[in-house]
Amino acid sequence: KQLTSAQVRQMYLDFFKSKGHMIEPSASLVPVNDPSLLWINSGVATMKKYFDGSVTPENPRIANAQKSIRTNDIENVGKTARHHTMFEMLGNFSIGDYFKKEAIEWAWEFLTSPEWIGFDPDKLYVTVYPEDAEAKRIWLEEIGLPTDHVVEVADNFWDLGVGPSGPDSEIFYDRGESFNDLAEDDPENYPGGENERYLEIWNLVFSEFNHKPDNTYEPLPHQNIDTGMGLERMVSIIQDAPTNFETDLFLPIIAKVEELSGKKYGSDKLMDVSFKVIADHIRSLAFAIGDGALPSNEGRGYVLRRLLRRAVMHGKKLGVNEAFLYKLVPIVGEVMVSYYPEVLQQKDFIQKVVRNEEERFHETINEGLTMLNDVLADLKAKNETTLDGKVIFKLYDTFGFPVELTEEVAEDEGLKVDHEGFEVEMQAQKERARAARSTETSMGVQTALLGDIKVQSEFVGYDHLEVESQLLT
Ligand code: ATP
Ligand code: MG
Ligand code: MG
Ligand code: MG
């Protein structure tokens, strides 16, 4: 019997409820009272108030399914089997209550008990921090894992620089030899490495130290547990899908993209990347807009603008030259409705925002692509091999082309790109922005100005560059 994604999510919450946890609903993707974060990027990000002691929870055992956005993985989306910009993290937390032993035992029970997920224990590998003898002992002696299934990994230590920190232990599922192909060029193709064959599914963090500003560690007065399991990855295993995208979470969206583009998923590797990027990005857009973020030129809004533009460009690769992303919003809403009714409830509003943004981008994109194609044709005619950094910058600056997409188009045409030249232009832009900023009397003025600037002549200020570099790394 194959579980649906909704059943897997619910099963996780039911399991931890049976272990005395209270279930917290997913928080908004937009952080509340936390200027340090652009997006909620993990389950624990919403638990900070409990971990730092500013709020005492009703029950020290908490579990949740938390929608999360990570822009650091954007380059991986569609290329690896397992990364999204928006994904769900299933988490159980102990605020000074249970610790390593229970966290490990319950994780194991949930994954392997036939009453719950029922994975074959032979398929599971774990990593531990080399100095964490206790975690290693629990895995070997109490759980009974064979020694070659417990791998020491030096960077299994969760640390934000100051504050609560501690070793972690990660659980991997061996998807088998047939996944070697996918991981063939991957230097991490071994248990405990991160790749398609040994799929990282769950991170158990044992938060037991206070990292002090003088760089020493002292034991915390109470020890906490923070875990995060990727729902999409679990579902890919359970539904025997080659990647996260061939699951019930993404296939309905992909089917709609097939209908709108007239192209077939699975018929061409490059096109498949585009299907996946679109299916991924529309989820982020729909959920983030539903949570109150809007595309704009700054911060969070700028991330949405970039996501939308990337999705539009991938639509173009599938031959879709008009606004179409907004038509995917109801599908995203339906797929997620059982746990996240908010998207379907607000679908008209979300569709309007997406459509408007798409249409504005199409106007400029067509101009930009014409220019790029002209330049590329010209270079080829002259037997030149490199696309000038100035051109890449101009497309970025004037037309709002994501840099990596310009590079992709150029590379598809067999041309090298002048990264250095582009960096020089970016640096000069940064200097100009800095100079401009120092002459502004207040941020208020700058914000007011930005509001008036059309997409056609995008102002790319310093803040944007930071977000952009976050998107590109
Ligand atoms: P990876 O190494 O695969 O990028 P991670 O080590 O950065 O993952 P953690 O911070 O440990 O991830 O998050 C806990 C779990 O959340 C991971 O084990 C994984 O199952 C899931 N996860 C993390 N990032 C993503 C993502 N971008 N898309 C989908 N699932 C993710
Ligand atoms: Mg990661
Ligand atoms: Mg990892
Ligand atoms: Mg991890």
Side-chain angles (χ1 to χ4, degrees):
K1 173 195 68 162
Q2 197 178 74
L3 298 170
T4 65
S5 54
Q7 287 171 321
V8 176
R9 188 193 294 112
Q10 195 54 47
M11 189 180 265
Y12 181 87
L13 298 174
D14 289 346
F15 176 82
F16 282 99
K17 202 171 165 193
S18 79
K19 305 292 182 194
H21 291 60
M22 76 176 175
I23 309 303
E24 279 213 352
S26 177
S28 168
L29 281 164
V30 177
V32 180
N33 294 330
D34 187 353
S36 74
L37 268 185
L38 206 52
W39 301 101
I40 292 299
N41 60 4
S42 57
V44 72
T46 68
M47 301 284 156
K48 274 188 190 167
K49 56 186 187 288
Y50 302 139
F51 279 85
D52 69 15
S54 61
V55 177
T56 307
E58 263 170 64
N59 179 336
R61 299 181 182 186
I62 305 170
N64 65 1
Q66 176 63 49
K67 44 190 169 178
S68 306
I69 287 186
R70 286 192 184 182
T71 51
N72 69 313
D73 285 323
I74 196 166
E75 286 296 291
N76 288 328
V77 173
K79 297 189 175 147
T80 72
R82 63 192 193 278
H83 286 101
H84 305 293
T85 54
M86 195 213 89
F87 63 101
E88 288 176 72
M89 215 188 262
L90 305 171
N92 56 287
F93 307 90
S94 159
I95 317 297
D97 187 55
Y98 64 86
F99 199 48
K100 271 179 215 184
K101 185 172 143 66
E102 293 87 343
I104 291 175
E105 285 178 355
W106 290 340
W108 189 255
E109 181 184 348
F110 178 69
L111 291 175
T112 61
S113 160
E115 274 175 59
W116 301 97
I117 297 296
F119 282 158
D120 172 359
D122 291 345
K123 297 272 172 41
L124 297 171
Y125 289 79
V126 305
T127 60
V128 293
Y129 185 58
E131 283 162 47
D132 190 359
E134 174 68 359
K136 188 169 183 177
R137 191 195 61 75
I138 296 170
W139 282 119
L140 291 174
E141 291 173 20
E142 311 217 4
I143 304 295
L145 284 187
T147 46
D148 64 341
H149 281 235
V150 182
V151 184
E152 293 183 2
V153 172
D155 59 33
N156 269 24
F157 195 90
W158 189 80
D159 197 341
L160 293 174
V162 285
S165 60
D168 60 69
S169 183
E170 296 195 310
I171 306 176
F172 294 73
Y173 186 96
D174 179 4
R175 300 219 61 194
E177 301 240 315
S178 64
F179 283 78
N180 273 345
D181 257 12
L182 277 165
E184 151 185 85
D185 305 323
D186 193 325
E188 297 209 53
N189 191 15
Y190 57 88
E194 291 177 348
N195 58 56
E196 312 295 21
R197 174 167 175 186
Y198 297 99
L199 184 63
E200 178 191 325
I201 50 176
W202 202 349
N203 189 355
L204 315 179
V205 181
F206 315 124
S207 175
E208 57 183 316
F209 299 110
N210 183 24
H211 186 166
K212 296 203 290 185
D214 67 2
N215 235 357
T216 58
Y217 292 83
E218 65 182 6
L220 283 173
H222 50 71
Q223 300 163 319
N224 307 305
I225 289 294
D226 143 29
T227 87
M229 169 195 272
L231 173 69
E232 299 76 9
R233 295 184 189 185
M234 283 294 285
V235 173
S236 77
I237 299 168
I238 291 165
Q239 297 182 358
D240 198 19
T243 80
N244 290 4
F245 292 91
E246 292 83 19
T247 62
D248 64 359
L249 288 163
F250 290 90
L251 281 178
I253 310 173
I254 289 174
K256 185 72 181 176
V257 179
E258 283 184 315
E259 181 194 316
L260 294 170
S261 67
K263 299 288 191 305
K264 209 78 206 117
Y265 183 62
S267 63
D268 174 274
K269 274 197 171 162
L270 265 182
M271 283 206 300
D272 286 351
V273 172
S274 296
F275 275 106
K276 290 171 181 172
V277 170
I278 292 164
D280 174 87
H281 289 11
I282 191 60
R283 286 181 7 130
S284 292
L285 285 160
F287 271 86
I289 294 167
D291 279 350
L294 288 172
S296 76
N297 273 341
E298 293 187 307
R300 216 167 274 135
Y302 192 65
V303 172
L304 294 188
R305 182 156 282 170
R306 284 292 174 217
L307 287 171
L308 181 131
R309 290 175 174 195
R310 284 173 54 96
V312 167
M313 296 302 274
H314 280 281
K316 279 193 164 287
K317 289 186 175 187
L318 297 178
V320 186
N321 289 305
E322 78 244 329
F324 75 107
L325 290 170
Y326 73 96
K327 295 180 183 165
L328 303 172
V329 173
I331 315 289
V332 173
E334 279 157 27
V335 169
M336 304 297 271
V337 71
S338 69
Y339 202 73
Y340 304 96
E342 59 267 32
V343 170
L344 209 52
Q345 271 160 10
Q346 302 174 86
K347 97 175 152 30
D348 294 344
F349 171 72
I350 299 170
Q351 283 195 288
K352 210 151 101 191
V353 172
V354 170
R355 182 178 189 170
N356 181 34
E357 182 73 15
E358 270 187 279
E359 283 172 350
R360 290 208 313 167
F361 186 43
H362 270 286
E363 287 166 23
T364 51
I365 227 179
N366 290 329
E367 283 174 62
L369 265 186
T370 307
M371 176 188 148
L372 179 57
N373 285 328
D374 285 353
V375 173
L376 293 177
D378 200 42
L379 289 176
K380 280 184 157 172
K382 291 187 193 141
N383 279 327
E384 304 262 1
T385 55
T386 309
L387 178 65
D388 193 341
K390 282 202 174 69
V391 177
I392 305 173
F393 181 75
K394 181 161 189 220
L395 282 161
Y396 167 75
D397 191 40
T398 313
F399 300 100
F401 262 50
V403 176
E404 78 273 24
L405 282 171
T406 303
E407 294 182 346
E408 267 175 45
V409 176
E411 280 162 8
D412 284 351
E413 294 291 323
L415 283 147
K416 290 204 281 284
V417 289
D418 170 21
H419 290 278
E420 252 168 60
F422 172 72
E423 287 304 329
V424 169
E425 295 295 320
M426 280 295 262
Q427 208 48 47
Q429 171 78 302
K430 267 193 207 180
E431 293 305 328
R432 283 196 298 275
R434 210 170 277 143
R437 242 188 0 172
S438 65
T439 63
E440 297 287 358
T441 48
S442 75
M443 275 309 280
V445 174
Q446 197 180 21
T447 316
L449 281 174
L450 281 172
D452 284 330
I453 292 169
K454 300 240 168 54
V455 181
Q456 275 82 351
S457 56
E458 236 181 70
F459 175 86
V460 184
Y462 189 59
D463 295 342
H464 312 163
L465 292 171
E466 281 176 343
V467 176
E468 178 68 6
S469 66
Q470 198 192 355
L471 280 175
L472 291 177
T473 50

